[in-house]
Amino acid sequence: MRLSIAAKLNFFLLFIFSMVLVFSACYQAVRERDLILSLIKDQSQEQTEAYFDSLNMLMLTGQMAARDTLREKFKRHSHVKDARIVRGTALTRQYGPGRAEETVQDDFDRLALEGKGSLEVIQEGASSRLIATLPLRASKAYRGTDCTSCHQVEEGTVLGAVRFEYDLDALFAQVERSILGSTLALTALFGAGLLLTLWVLRTWVVNPLGQLTRAMEEATDAPLPGRRLEIEEEDEIGRVAAAYNQMLDSMERRLAPRPSEPGAPSRTMSAAADPKRG
């Protein structure tokens, strides 16, 4: 398949710009998702600790009956899907099973009661959620509170756990909208750069080469050396045009009739025709 230089350059530039655009969009998507996850994980750690501190304050003031109100307040935070306390065996044995949502419901709850906290992203089809659990261990000095004074257990016993769930779909949708906007902006920028590059190539490369080609074709069909090219730029194409003009000058000198050839006036005839010359 025969392609012009302009077509080859256009294809190559379009390929390069497309690769840069795809790489930029993918890199930005990965970076923004990682940033969102990092921020939400930091937020989850802060909120689980704040939830336990608030719950501990209710316990110290004898207002544990209001813990449902505390739970609803934390659930109103942005992107919080669920917030609850999971009661451990020692706590259940001392105070009873509590609310239905305070019982063990899955492996994350069981691991938390074994003293293993979780901070994992769960993908369920098109939905994503973050599960954060914080085991609550009995301590004689937990932020100024002696847990063993109320709970008759050994220090280090897991009393329960705080569990938060975050809805990541809205966050990821926001990331996708941001990526889409950035991609459209980059596409417009790359498109403008591509058009500018094509104009520069056509002005400085394609058009001068076209003039040189037409001049050579005219010189091939003409009986005498063709017209000379105007040299506007001192670049590589300008030097080619200068060399072409020099070639035509050389051909014209070689094709010019010499004095010994028929049709050229001889020196003796010129002398006889001039009366002043002896």
Side-chain angles (χ1 to χ4, degrees), residues 85-89 91 112-113 115 134-138 157-162:
I85 194 79
V86 182
R87 298 170 76 96
T89 304
L91 197 62
L113 294 181
L134 175 66
L136 305 177
R137 298 178 182 273
T157 302
V158 178
L159 299 173
V162 176

Side-chain angles (χ1 to χ4, degrees), residues 48-49 51-52 55-56 59 64 84-97 101-104 108-118 132-139 142 147 151 153-164:
T48 51
E49 293 177 356
Y51 187 84
F52 175 67
L55 193 67
N56 193 31
M59 181 184 63
M64 284 298 290
R84 59 189 178 88
I85 194 79
V86 182
R87 298 170 76 96
T89 304
L91 197 62
T92 302
R93 188 182 302 116
Q94 184 176 358
Y95 295 104
E101 66 272 5
E102 296 175 352
T103 59
V104 176
F108 291 101
D109 292 348
R110 281 187 285 272
L111 288 174
L113 294 181
E114 292 175 1
K116 302 175 182 177
S118 301
T133 59
L134 175 66
L136 305 177
R137 298 178 182 273
S139 174
Y142 182 80
C147 301
H151 304 285
V153 295
E154 295 181 359
E155 188 174 7
T157 302
V158 178
L159 299 173
V162 176
R163 171 167 172 158
F164 270 71

Side-chain angles (χ1 to χ4, degrees), residues 51-72:
Y51 187 84
F52 175 67
D53 289 341
S54 301
L55 193 67
N56 193 31
M57 185 62 64
L58 292 179
M59 181 184 63
L60 294 175
T61 57
Q63 300 179 4
M64 284 298 290
R67 63 183 183 276
D68 291 338
T69 303
L70 176 65
R71 179 170 180 253
E72 292 300 323

Side-chain angles (χ1 to χ4, degrees), residues 15-85:
F15 175 78
I16 294 297
F17 285 168
S18 300
M19 290 297 100
V20 172
L21 181 62
V22 171
F23 176 79
S24 300
C26 294
Y27 179 76
Q28 183 182 5
V30 173
R31 290 288 298 172
E32 289 199 12
R33 286 176 68 95
D34 291 343
L35 179 60
I36 288 293
L37 288 177
S38 177
L39 293 176
I40 201 69
K41 286 179 179 179
D42 293 341
Q43 179 183 348
S44 67
Q45 293 178 351
E46 294 176 358
Q47 286 188 334
T48 51
E49 293 177 356
Y51 187 84
F52 175 67
D53 289 341
S54 301
L55 193 67
N56 193 31
M57 185 62 64
L58 292 179
M59 181 184 63
L60 294 175
T61 57
Q63 300 179 4
M64 284 298 290
R67 63 183 183 276
D68 291 338
T69 303
L70 176 65
R71 179 170 180 253
E72 292 300 323
K73 286 185 177 181
F74 272 87
K75 287 177 65 176
R76 292 193 188 100
H77 290 181
S78 60
H79 311 299
V80 176
K81 187 176 182 181
D82 192 14
R84 59 189 178 88
I85 194 79

Side-chain angles (χ1 to χ4, degrees), residues 2 7 46 49 137 165 170 175 189 237 263:
R2 298 177 60 185
E46 294 176 358
E49 293 177 356
R137 298 178 182 273
E165 291 189 25
V175 171
L189 182 62
I237 297 179

